[in-house]
Amino acid sequence: MKRLHAILAVVGLALGLSGTVLAEQTEPSQTLFINVNVFDGVNEKLIRNANVLVEGNLIKTVSAKPLNVPGAAVIDGKGGTLMPGFIENHAHLMLPGPSLPAMEAGATWEDLAIHGTQMAEMYLMQGFTTVRDAGGANAGLRRAIDSGSILGPRFYPSAAFLGTRGGHADFANYTSPPGEDTNFGRLNLAQEVDSVADMHKFGRNNFRMGATQLKYMQSGGVVSAFDPWQLLAGSPEEIEAAVQVANEYGSYVMAHSYRKEAIITALEAGVKSIEHGFAFDCDIAELMKEKGAYITTNLTAFDPGLLDIPAVKNVPASLAKAKSASATFAGYVDNMKRCPAKRGFHTDCVGSVAACNIQIAYEKHLNNSFFGPYASLVAMTSVGGEIAAMTGDFMNPYLDGKLGVIEEGAYADILILDGNPLEDFSVVGSGDKWFDAEPRPDSPETIRLIMKDGVIYKNTLAP
Ligand SMILES: [Zn+2]
């Protein structure tokens, strides 16, 4: 641990992180936060004028009474809000773009590693202390982050997307015959699975390559080449085979599912995390509750501006798909308000670090404008922690404490924000523009402190 602190101190200096506190301390190090109001990730009511003691990488005490801890480093939160680090449930840190065909034609290990490194650092400095990768990342990025050699959040990779020929994980060239070796396959970014046997083989290979859960592409997409968004890929037996393999590892399956038929089939097969889930309604909410399942949705999909982006507007087939999709998915927000389900935060950005930084900020903004600050904060913290915990005891790399909450025994993944995000949500670093937004700062000014695993990565609160 000492060595990690030393490495991080060097990295922090090299990056010029202002006010970063990375002092070497005798084990276990203690940090006492005073003069903060605590949002614990679950309850709307803040714990006013609280004190939070961190010991090592865990939260030791949360108290409204003063704590006397000789030897602890004291940080005055100046009346700001102390809350759990944000959790992203659906990112793609290893898909640099500029497009899927370009990556199939020319992406190398180096392109992925450099992009992943930059994305990981960007996510951490935006306040995300945990990120689940929804396809394309194997074990290496997590190893680099967890060993302290690069900066980044806790990381839950899914390894290769699993999907059928012609489905949403098929990035092969147009004339490429079925089963032919692809660049995406060699890099284990995506694998073609067309049978129960394929699902067994490539599902197990994903865990071997460092996946903490499996990702299955059940529905299609709007801007992708071969697949209608309405696609119902995979027989119930194939999806059950994915669930069976995940269960062998004590873990779960996340499924890219749009239509109601797809979502119901997935839930009945034992899928625990519905991705996108645009056709969400009250029947689905009921079934999710019965099955103990979660949904994560990129709310940018409901943005009317989507019909104006060049990849949609200039391709008649994509524009037609986008229009029919928006008509079908129009009920999502109202249904979620009427029949709330366990919903996690989901950005789903593929592309440059600068563009993803903007998209994350806009996704935060849409959460607040559709569902208000409290539901948004819960989605960004404790629900994400529950999803991470489904990884189970064998594959979860982070088993010392809970994620996404401020409570005794939880991981010390902590932010301090200026002001109260329940009153002014913008302090979380949201942005109300997407395509025509200005570039965003490396880290929002209103996020004054970022701690992950008991280590401080940013601190602009004066000593
Ligand atoms: Zn995705």
Side-chain angles (χ1 to χ4, degrees):
M1 198 62 189
K2 264 190 181 171
R3 184 151 173 273
L4 177 63
H5 281 238
I7 292 166
L8 289 168
V10 172
V11 173
L13 286 175
L15 296 170
L17 303 176
S18 47
T20 307
V21 175
L22 294 158
E24 286 245 18
Q25 281 156 8
T26 49
E27 302 283 339
S29 62
Q30 288 182 315
T31 305
L32 178 61
F33 296 103
I34 60 167
N35 194 14
V36 289
N37 299 311
V38 172
F39 171 69
D40 66 5
V42 178
N43 295 294
E44 188 162 9
K45 198 168 178 306
L46 301 183
I47 308 165
R48 296 280 171 185
N49 199 13
N51 305 281
V52 176
L53 176 64
V54 168
E55 189 174 280
N57 65 343
L58 302 176
I59 296 169
K60 178 104 192 282
T61 314
V62 181
S63 173
K65 293 194 195 116
L67 298 171
N68 181 22
V69 191
V74 177
I75 295 177
D76 184 345
K78 304 223 163 68
T81 303
L82 184 149
M83 64 172 291
F86 306 136
I87 297 180
E88 167 70 84
N89 292 287
H90 190 123
H92 299 285
L93 269 51
M94 289 295 206
L95 298 183
S99 67
L100 296 164
M103 290 183 65
E104 174 58 25
T108 69
W109 293 106
E110 296 97 313
D111 297 318
L112 306 189
I114 291 166
H115 182 70
T117 302
Q118 293 172 343
M119 286 288 281
E121 180 178 339
M122 182 271 285
Y123 257 108
L124 180 65
M125 299 319 290
Q126 294 300 315
F128 287 83
T129 49
T130 298
V131 168
R132 182 177 64 163
D133 196 283
N138 294 282
L141 189 63
R142 184 176 67 72
R143 283 200 296 253
I145 295 168
D146 289 352
S147 69
S149 52
I150 64 170
L151 295 180
R154 299 181 193 280
F155 193 56
Y156 288 88
S158 300
F161 300 98
L162 304 174
T164 51
R165 174 74 175 174
H168 203 52
D170 179 357
F171 307 125
N173 292 326
Y174 188 62
T175 55
S176 186
E180 191 177 67
D181 206 14
T182 61
N183 197 27
F184 269 88
R186 284 186 293 273
L187 294 163
N188 206 44
L189 299 182
Q191 301 292 358
E192 186 182 320
V193 288
D194 289 308
S195 64
V196 167
D198 281 355
M199 197 70 92
H200 287 160
K201 180 164 71 179
F202 289 110
R204 288 168 186 146
N205 187 57
N206 270 352
F207 283 114
R208 177 183 180 278
M209 294 293 285
T212 50
Q213 65 285 320
L214 298 181
K215 169 75 182 296
Y216 184 64
M217 293 298 208
Q218 196 187 10
S219 298
V222 170
V223 292
S224 42
F226 313 119
D227 45 325
W229 64 263
Q230 299 95 333
L231 183 70
L232 293 173
S235 64
E237 292 73 24
E238 287 168 78
I239 302 170
E240 279 163 17
V243 170
Q244 184 216 314
V245 171
N247 289 347
E248 290 169 8
Y249 287 81
S251 183
Y252 71 97
V253 174
M254 53 198 288
H256 165 110
S257 314
Y258 285 12
R259 272 169 66 186
K260 185 168 181 175
E261 294 87 333
I263 298 170
I264 302 249
T265 303
L267 290 169
E268 294 289 3
V271 167
K272 291 291 188 201
S273 185
I274 298 296
E275 304 304 298
H276 311 289
F278 296 131
F280 176 84
D281 66 9
C282 292
D283 299 338
I284 293 168
E286 187 84 1
L287 188 58
M288 282 177 59
K289 201 180 259 180
E290 189 190 312
K291 301 282 185 186
Y294 294 78
I295 185 168
T296 85
T297 306
N298 48 326
L299 303 177
T300 48
F302 305 123
D303 190 280
L306 208 54
L307 298 177
D308 292 326
I309 62 169
V312 174
K313 193 171 66 177
N314 302 336
V315 183
S318 292
L319 185 61
K321 283 208 280 186
K323 283 186 173 161
S324 67
S326 2
T328 311
F329 305 153
Y332 179 98
V333 173
D334 285 344
N335 289 337
M336 187 59 76
K337 286 179 185 162
R338 270 196 303 143
C339 306
K342 294 262 190 174
R343 184 182 66 83
F345 184 83
H346 167 155
T347 305
D348 200 20
C349 186
V350 173
S352 77
V353 177
C356 290
N357 189 343
I358 289 169
Q359 191 171 328
I360 293 164
Y362 191 60
E363 183 67 38
K364 288 177 182 170
H365 167 78
L366 290 180
N367 264 269
N368 182 47
S369 54
F370 293 152
F371 300 114
Y374 171 59
S376 303
L377 291 174
V378 169
M380 290 167 71
T381 57
S382 58
V383 172
E386 290 175 24
I387 292 172
M390 290 197 298
T391 309
D393 289 352
F394 320 147
M395 300 312 288
N396 190 346
Y398 313 111
L399 287 168
D400 293 349
K402 270 167 107 174
L403 293 172
V405 291
I406 301 295
E407 63 177 45
E408 288 166 21
Y411 271 120
D413 291 3
I414 290 172
L415 306 178
I416 297 181
L417 309 182
D418 268 339
N420 179 354
L422 291 163
E423 285 163 8
D424 173 8
F425 190 74
S426 71
V427 298
V428 303
S430 59
D432 59 4
K433 287 202 174 74
W434 189 8
F435 300 115
D436 47 358
E438 297 288 321
R440 291 188 61 82
D442 290 344
S443 184
E445 262 179 50
T446 48
I447 302 180
R448 303 294 296 272
L449 179 135
I450 300 171
M451 171 183 268
K452 187 196 79 173
D453 209 40
V455 177
I456 293 170
Y457 292 86
K458 175 185 181 182
N459 180 8
T460 60
L461 295 155

